[in-house]
Amino acid sequence: MGYLEHKFEDNIIVTKLDKLLSWARSTSPWYFQFGLACCAIEMMAAAASRHDLERIGMMPRSSPRQADVMIVAGTVSIKMAERVKRLYDQMADPKYVIAMGSCATSGGPYWQHGYHVLKGVDLIIPVDVYIPGCPPRPESLIEGLIKLQEKIRGERPLTKEKDA
């Protein structure tokens, strides 16, 4: 028996197919890159060389049909809300949404007097992770993406259950 055969003969992993699929989906989510306001600068900084989102498996995509995660980064105006909803509808299931910044989560500094601003993107699409701040730092976005990965890892796509 050769060295390699002896070294790897007992390496057998037994797990549920649900857990394997969830792990695979959580380690390689592709995010839809579009920015609406100043939070987009921080999103770009998170994807740049210092923070490098690809290090945690996040790959940017320019088409909603190729993306798993929509990062709503910035102020969503009433006019833009219809387009954000249309882009969300074009994404394939399973799809996830991250609301990044005060404007995307609650209307930001415009919430009280800004008639043109949507008071939170969760009024038009379901949000999985909220990232507070104005604008939030790249580290906050990375933490939010890691929380989303943990949420995906807890899902069971075949049995439609969630881990406790």
Side-chain angles (χ1 to χ4, degrees), residues 41-122:
I41 303 297
E42 298 299 320
M43 182 176 64
M44 288 184 259
S49 60
R50 178 174 290 202
H51 300 286
D52 193 17
L53 285 180
E54 290 188 24
R55 177 180 51 177
I56 60 169
M58 300 298 293
M59 184 173 166
R61 302 306 300 165
S62 298
S63 169
R65 292 178 181 92
Q66 300 171 346
D68 304 317
V69 179
M70 174 185 273
I71 301 174
V72 181
T75 310
V76 181
S77 66
I78 300 295
K79 278 186 175 183
M80 193 64 182
E82 179 185 338
R83 285 135 183 105
V84 170
K85 173 76 170 133
R86 184 179 306 143
L87 290 170
Y88 175 78
D89 290 339
Q90 290 177 359
M91 293 172 64
D93 284 327
K95 52 190 168 188
Y96 306 95
V97 177
I98 293 178
M100 179 179 175
S102 300
C103 294
T105 58
S106 64
Y110 314 104
W111 73 273
Q112 193 171 13
H113 303 294
Y115 64 91
H116 65 290
V117 174
L118 192 66
K119 308 301 189 252
V121 76
D122 55 355

Side-chain angles (χ1 to χ4, degrees), residues 114-158:
Y115 64 91
H116 65 290
V117 174
L118 192 66
K119 308 301 189 252
V121 76
D122 55 355
L123 296 175
I124 56 168
I125 57 177
V127 175
D128 297 293
V129 176
Y130 294 92
I131 302 172
C134 186
R137 301 262 316 138
E139 294 88 355
S140 300
L141 176 59
I142 291 171
E143 182 181 359
L145 291 167
I146 290 171
K147 295 288 184 193
L148 180 64
Q149 286 179 327
E150 290 171 3
K151 178 181 180 178
I152 295 170
R153 206 170 290 125
E155 294 178 351
R156 298 293 169 252
L158 297 179

